[in-house]
Every structure is written in C-alpha cells, then in structure tokens.
Amino acid sequence: MTKANHDVLISIFVMGFAVFFFYLTFQFPTGNPQDMGPAFMPRAYAIMIMILGLLLFFKGLKGGQQTGKKGTKLVLMTIGWLFIYIFFVPIIGFHIMTPIFLFVFLWMVRERRLIPLLAIPLLTTVLIFFFFKQLLNVPIPAGTLF
C-alpha cells in the first residue's frame, strides 16, 4: 500500500473523529452567550483536527511514495511505548517516567549524542513541571510508588 493510500485512509478516520468530537460538544452546558462557554475550546480543537485531516487528505490524493517497513515499525514501537508511559505515569510518577520516556524515544529515533539524550528529557520535564505546576497550578501525577 502506498503512503498516499495510508494518508487518505488515516485522514478519513481523523476527520470522522473530529466530527464526532465536535458533535459531543453540543452536550456541554450552555452558558451566557457573551462568554465563550465550556464548549469553545473542544470545538476549536475539533475544527483544527478537521483542517489537519483535510490537509492530509489532499496530500494523500496528490500522491506519495511507498511506506517502508522501518517507518511502520518505528510508529508501532512509538505507540506501544506511549501506552507503556501512560500506564506507568500514575504508578511511578510524572517526574521519573517522563525523562525515561523521552530518553527511550530519542534512542528509538536513533539519537546517539549524549548531550541531547540527557538534556532534552530533563529540560522538557522541568519546563512542563514549571509551566503546569507553578504557573497554571495544574496538579502533576506524583505516582503511588514513591
């Protein structure tokens, strides 16, 4: 199957997801018409996802090259690693699991330089912690193990 066919199929799935997501926002409570209300951001995200799905659809119609086995394997490994990360964050905690996740991900995409392998996971974790915990006061999972 060509990359163009993959792009068309994935884009149809993505656009269907966006339409369903947009439909669900009509179940949100309505507020004051002058305020944005609780449905505003989910609808904005659904519209952005729809636009990106359309772009991918037209890119797929335009054509593309054959999908390689290495690319497919990397995508599947990344998705698997992401599920492992999501499973272990509540147990181990964000502060420990995120640098491990990013380090392994960088290793999977063939990053072998020591400075990026150490700096990117640590700086990303610190920046996310500072932005969400300190500035926005959003709780970050500490984990039940520690």
Side-chain angles (χ1 to χ4, degrees):
M1 180 177 258
T2 64
K3 185 173 183 333
N5 291 343
H6 278 133
D7 287 349
V8 170
L9 290 174
I10 295 294
S11 69
I12 291 170
F13 172 76
V14 166
M15 289 186 292
F17 173 77
V19 168
F20 177 70
F21 190 56
F22 192 83
Y23 168 75
L24 289 178
T25 63
F26 289 104
Q27 297 175 4
F28 290 3
T30 56
N32 186 352
Q34 296 170 340
D35 294 333
M36 286 190 255
F40 176 76
M41 283 310 292
R43 285 182 185 160
Y45 291 145
I47 291 169
M48 285 187 261
I49 291 170
M50 177 61 80
I51 291 169
L52 292 172
L54 283 170
L55 290 173
L56 184 61
F57 180 79
F58 290 124
K59 179 184 171 215
L61 289 180
K62 197 172 167 183
Q65 65 270 14
Q66 190 74 15
T67 305
K69 288 187 178 188
K70 281 186 177 181
T72 303
K73 182 180 176 185
L74 179 63
V75 168
L76 293 175
M77 285 175 43
T78 302
I79 291 171
W81 183 231
L82 186 60
F83 279 120
I84 291 169
Y85 171 75
I86 291 169
F87 177 78
F88 280 108
V89 163
I91 298 166
I92 297 174
F94 173 84
H95 303 92
I96 296 172
M97 197 61 202
T98 300
I100 294 169
F101 169 78
L102 291 172
F103 180 87
V104 172
F105 175 74
L106 288 171
W107 191 267
M108 284 185 343
V109 295
R110 309 233 185 272
E111 177 61 60
R112 299 295 189 259
R113 296 172 294 162
L114 185 61
I115 292 176
L117 275 173
L118 297 176
I120 291 172
L122 294 176
L123 288 175
T124 302
T125 304
V126 168
L127 289 174
I128 290 172
F129 171 78
F130 179 74
F131 183 74
F132 284 99
K133 181 72 176 168
Q134 303 299 337
L135 292 178
L136 298 177
N137 203 22
V138 174
I140 292 179
T144 56
L145 192 60
F146 299 105

